[in-house]
Every structure is written in structure tokens, then in C-alpha cells.
């Protein structure tokens, strides 16, 4: 029985087709009958005398004229020296290359026709999510621990939410089911969804917090039943989790809080809310309430910037659990992503792209998407990128509006752009610029994060 994994020998008919196509592409002519006769004889291992006898030509004519000229023409057409002895190997290699190119072209065509613009969250079934080992495996392992807390930090559009949803999906997929009810429940709560007024009062915020989680779990709304004026807001919220949510779930509850930076902007509630999260983490780890249900609560906290609000280190959730800080893509990861888009970047092209966007996941995805769509060349992309006509115009305009609305932030960023060395700036401003992705932190100093921002904002601040 033939092993399907083994390559089948190349037939003469296919070899003739490969040779004729190569010569036609180079010389705009097809093989002559006498050349085909020589090619067939060589393919069968015949000597020139045998070929001459079979084809009815003089041996000297075949040996000193037709044969040498044929090998020379094939060598020029195929780009490497061809002779009677290596003919089979060269044509077989050429056939493999053509098959690979055809396959790659088919993949690229399919990808180009099916592509959706890379905006926001990368779907779970997407082929364009790039893992950053060992981050994913560490998160998947940690979230299974009793009372786990994982903190994901990175500037905007670095892939935090895409990682978060994969953690939630992994958790649900790798926990067994009990009857028709999953033993693991997951809730993703984006704090930007709360009305601005909610953040002005701790009681309002925690009521919204509990009600939102209840709705996502499709449980009966009982917040008012557990809210008592006798106890404080934090105590009411804790009681609601302890007496209502965790017992009703009757299993693991993974609570992912996205855009936690929104709370940083409201110091009137921040200290109490983060103290509350820390107390739940400690209750799960070594609490004295005697309620083991707290071990079933797993927390994921996602934020874009450093924690710049003053928090007691013994009450902060930002110095416990597993800390994950997402970095930009490496060159190898960019190459991997480019290949998934059906692109093979030359070394010079990769260098130009990395200089422009420094491996920023969102910026890289945008560039590769447009290149795969074949609506722009890399050279055109690099030239127009830092302009209002480039592919990043909306992204750049959004950052520009923020800088224009905050003159002190803009002035400070201008100093960063004009400096040829890393500089130290006011800490809060450094954190804000870093959360936008405009600077890279180096200890207490900052530098511009990529060439795109340097070129665009240098002329506009």
C-alpha cells in the first residue's frame, strides 16, 4: 500500500508541462518536437545515440547541437544549471515550488476575500490571535486556583480584552458539567458601561455593580432585598455575593472586570471599591468567615495604566495575585502574523514595519490587513502612515483630540518627542501617556513608543 505522506514520482507528462511552461515564460516559445524527443529520452535514461535512433536524427546533431542548447535554455528558464543527470530532480523541485506557490496564492486569495477589518476584540475563532508565551498558559493555570486573582495591564489596544475572553472561554471549556448546569460561570463586566453619575457615589456604584452581575448571570434581581441602611455599602455588597450570588451559582464564578481605569478617575469611590476586592481575595485565601464559597470566586482585573491613586498596600488588590503585563509583538510574532495573512515579508520590509509601529499589536494588525487586501504597498503604507491620508488616520485623530483637550499632557508629550534621550516627566502624566500607548516606560523615564507617533505628532502639538 502506498504511503500517502510519501511524494509520488513525477510523470514525464507533468515534467514536460513544467519544462515547457518555464521556457515559454522566459522565451515566449514552446518546446520543439525534437527538443521534446531529447527531453523524453533523457527522462528515460537513454544516451544520445539511443535518442537519435529513436527520434530519427543524426547522433552528432543531437549530441552537439540540440542537447546542449536545450540544457542551456532550461538552465536560463529555471534559474539553475540543468543537465541530463539532474533533469529529473530539477523539474521535480520546480513542480513542488509551483504547487506551493499555487497553494499560497489560493490561501491568500481566500484570506483576502474573507478578511474583516481588525477592530477591537479578536474573536475566539480567529486565526489572527497571536499568543505570547508563557502568558496564556500561566493565566489558564492560575485561574483554576481557589480564590485566584489575575491582573492584566497594558496600554490601550494591546490585546488585553482578547486575552481576557480567552481566559473565560478556557475556564468554561476545561471544567466539567453537572447535569444541565455548568459548574463554572463567567461574567465579563466592562466598567465603561456604567453611567458617569454612578461613579460619583459608592452606594450607587456598588448597587450597579451587583445588579449588572446578576443580570449577566440571568438570576433574579434581589439587590434591594439585600441592601440595608443599617450596614454600609461595602457590607451590603459583600452580603449580596455571600448570601445570594455565590450560593445561587453553586460553583465557580469567574468575574472579569475590564476597563478598571474608569475607577481610577474617581477617588471618591476608588479606595473603598479596591479595598473591597482585596478583602474578597483574602477571604478566599485565608478568611475567618467560615464560608468556603469565597474560594469559588476568581477575579480578573484589566487596566491600561499604572495604579496612580494612593492605596494602602495592605488593602490594594494590585500587589497580590498574578500580574500580567502585555508587551509589543516580537519580530518573530510579526512574521507569524504576516504569514497568517498570506504575506512573506522581506527582511527590509519587516525592519521598515517594525520601525514604524514597534510591534504594537493593533498597529501591526492594521498594516498586515491592508497589505493582505492588496490595496496598498508597504512602501506606500510607510510613506502615508503619519499623515491624515494614511491607514491610521482615525487612530491618530483620536489621540490628537485627547492631547488637545489636555494641554498639559500635550506640552509634556511635546518635550518627550523633542528629546533625543529618555527623559523623566511628572509621574501621573507619564502614566497617562503610557496608557494611551504614546510612550514606553524605562524606569522613571519615558521615550516615544514608535516612529509613527513621532512623525505624526511632532508637527501637530
Amino acid at each position: 500500500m502506498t504511503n500517502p505522506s510519501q511524494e509520488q514520482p513525477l510523470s514525464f507528462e507533468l515534467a514536460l508541462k513544467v519544462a515547457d511552461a518555464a521556457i515559454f515564460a522566459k522565451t515566449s516559445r514552446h518546446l520543439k518536437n525534437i527538443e521534446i524527443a531529447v527531453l523524453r529520452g533523457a527522462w528515460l535514461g537513454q544516451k544520445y545515440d539511443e535518442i537519435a535512433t529513436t527520434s530519427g536524427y543524426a547522433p552528432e546533431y543531437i549530441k552537439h547541437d540540440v542537447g546542449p542548447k536545450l540544457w542551456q535554455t532550461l538552465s536560463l528558464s529555471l534559474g539553475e544549471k540543468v543537465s541530463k543527470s539532474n533533469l529529473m530532480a530539477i523539474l521535480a523541485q520546480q513542480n513542488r515550488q509551483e504547487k506551493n506557490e499555487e497553494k499560497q496564492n489560493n490561501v491568500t486569495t481566500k484570506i483576502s476575500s474573507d478578511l474583516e477589518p481588525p477592530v477591537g476584540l479578536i474573536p475566539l475563532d480567529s486565526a489572527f490571535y497571536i499568543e505570547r508565551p508563557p502568558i496564556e498558559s500561566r493565566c489558564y493555570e492560575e485561574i483554576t486556583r481557589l480564590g485566584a486573582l489575575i491582573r492584566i495591564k497594558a496600554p490601550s489596544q494591546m490585546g488585553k480584552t482578547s486575552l481576557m475572553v480567552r481566559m473565560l472561554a478556557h475556564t468554561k471549556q476545561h471544567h466539567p458539567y453537572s447535569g444541565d448546569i455548568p459548574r463554572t460561570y463567567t461574567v465579563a463586566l466592562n466598567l465603561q458601561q456604567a453611567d458617569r453619575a454612578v461613579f460619583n457615589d459608592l452606594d450607587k456604584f456598588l448597587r450597579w455593580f451587583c445588579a449588572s452581575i446578576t443580570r449577566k448571570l440571568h438570576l433574579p434581581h434581589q439587590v434591594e432585598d439585600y441592601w440595608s441602611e443599617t450596614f454600609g455599602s461595602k457590607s451590603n455588597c459583600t452580603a449580596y455575593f455571600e448570601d445570594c450570588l455565590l450560593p445561587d451559582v453553586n460553583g465557580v464564578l469567574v468575574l472579569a472586570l475590564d476597563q478598571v481605569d474608569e475607577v481610577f478617575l474617581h477617588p471618591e469611590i476608588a479606595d473603598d471599591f479596591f479595598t473591597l476586592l482585596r478583602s474578597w481575595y483574602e477571604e478566599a485565601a485565608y478568611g475567618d468567615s467560615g464560608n468556603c464559597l469565597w474560594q469559588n470566586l476568581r477575579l480578573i482585573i484589566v487596566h491600561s495604566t499604572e495604579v496612580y491613586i494612593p492605596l494602602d498596600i495592605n488593602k490594594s488588590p494590585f500587589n497580590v495575585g498574578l500580574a500580567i503585563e502585555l508587551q509589543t509583538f516580537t519580530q518573530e510574532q510579526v512574521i507569524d502574523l504576516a504569514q497568517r495573512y498570506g504575506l512573506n515579508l522581506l527582511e527590509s520590509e519587516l525592519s521598515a514595519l517594525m520601525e514604524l509601529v514597534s510591534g504594537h499589536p493593533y498597529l501591526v494588525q492594521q498594516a498586515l490587513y491592508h497589505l493582505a487586501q492588496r490595496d496598498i504597498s508597504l512602501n506606500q503604507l510607510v510613506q502615508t502612515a503619519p499623515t491624515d491620508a494614511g491607514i491610521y488616520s482615525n487612530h491618530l485623530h483620536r489621540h490628537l483630540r485627547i492631547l488637545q483637550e489636555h494641554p498639559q499632557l500635550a506640552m509634556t508629550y511635546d518635550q518627550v518627542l523633542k528629546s533625543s534621550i529618555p527623559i523623566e516627566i511628572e509621574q501621573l502624566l507619564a502614566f497617562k501617556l503610557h496608557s494611551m500607548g504614546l510612550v514606553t516606560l524605562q524606569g522613571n523615564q519615558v521615550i516615544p513608543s514608535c516612529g509613527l507617533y513621532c512623525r505624526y505628532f511632532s508637527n501637530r502639538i
Side-chain angles (χ1 to χ4, degrees):
M1 181 178 292
T2 302
N3 187 342
S5 65
Q6 293 178 341
E7 185 176 349
Q8 299 300 310
L10 191 66
S11 67
F12 174 71
E13 289 71 19
L14 186 52
L16 176 61
K17 182 179 178 181
V18 171
D20 186 65
I23 288 177
F24 184 81
K26 186 70 175 179
T27 66
S28 299
R29 74 168 181 84
H30 291 288
L31 284 166
K32 301 174 184 176
N33 289 337
I34 190 172
E35 291 173 323
I36 295 174
V38 172
L39 199 64
R40 179 181 286 107
W43 192 262
L44 297 174
Q46 294 177 344
K47 296 181 179 181
Y48 284 125
D49 289 346
E50 295 176 282
I51 296 174
T53 300
T54 303
S55 59
Y57 288 92
E60 294 300 314
Y61 178 53
I62 297 294
K63 184 175 182 179
H64 297 294
D65 190 343
V66 180
K69 288 181 179 178
L70 176 59
W71 310 137
Q72 183 180 24
T73 303
L74 279 172
S75 297
L76 290 173
S77 301
L78 296 172
E80 56 184 307
K81 187 173 179 58
V82 179
S83 65
K84 280 183 63 181
S85 61
N86 68 2
L87 176 66
M88 295 180 68
I90 295 294
L91 292 180
Q93 175 182 312
Q94 179 70 14
N95 183 56
R96 285 194 298 270
Q97 290 177 351
E98 291 178 358
K99 280 186 176 180
N100 290 336
E101 288 175 4
E102 182 180 1
K103 182 179 179 181
Q104 185 66 52
N105 289 336
N106 289 339
V107 171
T108 301
T109 301
K110 184 179 187 305
I111 289 175
S112 298
S113 62
D114 294 344
L115 282 182
E116 290 292 333
V119 178
L121 172 70
I122 299 178
L124 285 171
D125 60 351
S126 173
F128 302 110
Y129 178 79
I130 297 295
E131 290 197 351
R132 286 174 263 194
I135 287 175
E136 283 80 6
S137 59
R138 290 186 64 193
C139 289
Y140 297 157
E141 179 182 359
E142 184 68 20
I143 202 64
T144 64
R145 300 184 188 278
L146 299 178
L149 188 154
I150 300 176
R151 296 174 282 117
I152 305 173
K153 182 184 72 173
S156 64
Q157 298 181 304
M158 286 281 288
K160 301 183 298 298
T161 305
S162 295
L163 171 60
M164 181 193 79
V165 299
R166 279 160 176 78
M167 291 171 58
L168 297 179
H170 180 88
T171 305
K172 293 178 71 172
Q173 292 169 1
H174 290 78
H175 280 73
Y177 286 73
S178 175
D180 296 326
I181 302 175
R183 288 181 52 193
T184 297
Y185 290 80
T186 62
V187 172
L189 187 61
N190 187 330
L191 298 187
Q192 284 186 337
Q193 294 175 346
D195 293 342
R196 185 177 303 177
V198 167
F199 290 99
N200 296 327
D201 180 83
L202 180 66
D203 192 72
K204 285 184 179 179
F205 176 76
L206 292 181
R207 284 174 185 258
W208 171 86
F209 182 70
C210 290
S212 298
I213 296 171
T214 302
R215 176 185 291 177
K216 286 181 176 289
L217 289 170
H218 304 290
L219 294 175
H221 180 76
Q222 304 180 65
V223 174
E224 300 304 324
D225 297 338
Y226 281 84
W227 230 259
S228 169
E229 294 183 1
T230 305
F231 303 100
S233 301
K234 289 193 293 183
S235 179
N236 286 331
C237 183
T238 298
Y240 186 73
F241 266 76
E242 191 169 73
D243 300 337
C244 183
L245 291 183
L246 293 176
D248 283 359
V249 165
N250 192 28
V252 173
L253 173 58
V254 182
L255 176 58
L257 306 180
D258 201 3
Q259 302 289 347
V260 170
D261 309 74
E262 288 294 317
V263 181
F264 297 166
L265 302 174
H266 302 275
E268 60 270 26
I269 71 166
D271 185 81
D272 283 318
F273 179 61
F274 291 132
T275 299
L276 181 64
L277 296 182
R278 171 67 178 262
S279 71
W280 292 349
Y281 169 77
E282 292 182 345
E283 193 66 48
Y286 45 83
D288 56 3
S289 68
N291 192 335
C292 61
L293 287 178
W294 284 107
Q295 294 182 341
N296 290 335
L297 178 64
R298 319 286 163 82
L299 291 172
I300 303 172
I301 300 176
V302 182
H303 57 108
S304 296
T305 188
E306 300 284 346
V307 182
Y308 54 79
I309 55 176
L311 292 174
D312 186 329
I313 60 172
N314 296 312
K315 298 180 180 180
S316 170
F318 296 100
N319 55 8
V320 292
L322 175 64
I324 297 294
E325 185 166 1
L326 297 182
Q327 304 296 328
T328 55
F329 286 157
T330 64
Q331 286 198 10
E332 290 73 19
Q333 289 166 337
V334 173
I335 292 171
D336 182 6
L337 184 58
Q339 291 173 343
R340 299 187 193 194
Y341 275 99
L343 301 169
N344 289 309
L345 298 179
L346 300 175
E347 186 173 342
S348 59
E349 294 174 327
L350 177 63
S351 297
L353 182 59
M354 293 297 288
E355 190 281 329
L356 180 69
V357 299
S358 297
H360 188 292
Y362 170 78
L363 301 180
V364 170
Q365 288 270 9
Q366 286 288 331
L368 297 178
Y369 164 77
H370 284 280
L371 292 175
Q373 290 286 71
R374 302 184 184 278
D375 54 12
I376 193 172
S377 69
L378 181 59
N379 184 55
Q380 291 171 326
L381 188 152
V382 171
Q383 293 299 318
T384 61
T387 72
D388 292 329
I391 66 170
Y392 300 117
S393 58
N394 291 335
H395 173 82
L396 295 170
H397 291 165
R398 180 170 60 83
H399 281 323
L400 183 59
R401 282 195 300 272
I402 295 174
L403 291 172
Q404 290 172 337
E405 291 168 0
H406 299 84
Q408 187 180 7
L409 191 65
M411 290 175 59
T412 303
Y413 188 45
D414 188 44
Q415 294 174 15
V416 176
L417 294 175
K418 290 178 178 177
S419 176
S420 59
I421 60 174
I423 63 171
E424 187 169 346
I425 59 177
E426 198 274 319
Q427 188 182 58
L428 180 57
L429 296 176
F431 289 164
K432 287 183 176 179
L433 289 172
H434 180 251
S435 72
M436 295 170 66
L438 297 179
V439 301
T440 299
L441 301 177
Q442 293 188 348
N444 294 328
Q445 298 178 318
V446 299
I447 59 172
S449 58
C450 67
L452 173 67
Y453 297 147
C454 287
R455 296 176 202 169
Y456 183 81
F457 291 109
S458 293
N459 300 322
R460 288 171 174 80
I461 298 180

